[in-house]
Amino acid sequence: MPTELALLVLNALFCLAFPWVYNWSYGRQVGGKRLMGNRDNLPERQGLAARGLRAHQNHLENLVPFAIIVLVAHAIGISNTVTLACAVVFTIARLAHAGFYFAGITRLPGINGVRSIAYFVSLFAMLIFAAQLFGT
């Protein structure tokens, strides 16, 4: 399996794992029995449960275009050092973004907006990867 496809699968697995974290946290917030029901009239998510849900939604929004780009590249036989580097950078940046989101980290010493920086790094990696589709 090409590395770009393997990284796409890994990103899909992250997407499947995120709800385990934020729903566990939400279960601690409202009680596990309430989550096993139809979830009507539950209180708003707080803390990790809310941030985790937002991180998951953001990852989904970025996974779809990444998947399209990777799958089109594979279908037309494009795989090179640029596509590989972009897939690796995308994956690392998305992990960083999710980690910062889950942990509630918005700044590191001397660096404001680290979560946004991680987002834009992943976005630029996707755009550079996509540019490879038209460069042949």
Side-chain angles (χ1 to χ4, degrees):
M1 175 186 313
T3 305
E4 295 91 336
L5 285 177
L7 289 169
L8 175 58
V9 171
L10 184 61
N11 276 279
L13 292 174
F14 295 152
C15 207
L16 292 173
F18 290 172
W20 288 91
V21 177
Y22 68 78
N23 281 326
W24 170 82
S25 179
Y26 192 48
R28 292 180 48 102
Q29 180 183 332
V30 300
K33 287 186 178 183
R34 291 184 73 188
L35 288 182
M36 289 185 214
N38 58 17
R39 299 184 183 193
D40 288 338
N41 302 315
L42 288 176
E44 185 176 332
R45 293 172 182 265
Q46 302 292 321
L48 174 60
R51 290 189 311 271
L53 176 60
R54 291 190 302 270
H56 183 227
Q57 289 170 335
N58 189 278
H59 191 71
L60 276 170
E61 292 167 2
N62 286 273
L63 182 59
V64 171
F66 180 68
I68 292 167
I69 293 164
V70 170
L71 293 172
V72 168
H74 181 68
I76 62 177
I78 294 176
S79 178
N80 56 43
T81 55
V82 174
T83 61
L84 175 59
C86 288
V88 169
V89 168
F90 175 85
T91 301
I92 292 169
R94 294 309 307 167
L95 270 178
H97 181 272
F100 292 142
Y101 222 145
F102 273 83
I105 297 170
T106 58
R107 70 166 56 145
L108 294 174
I111 305 172
N112 289 326
V114 292
R115 189 182 77 228
S116 295
I117 292 168
Y119 165 78
F120 283 110
V121 168
S122 72
L123 176 64
F124 291 135
M126 270 196 291
L127 294 173
I128 294 166
F129 194 134
Q132 293 295 298
L133 303 179
F134 302 101
T136 59

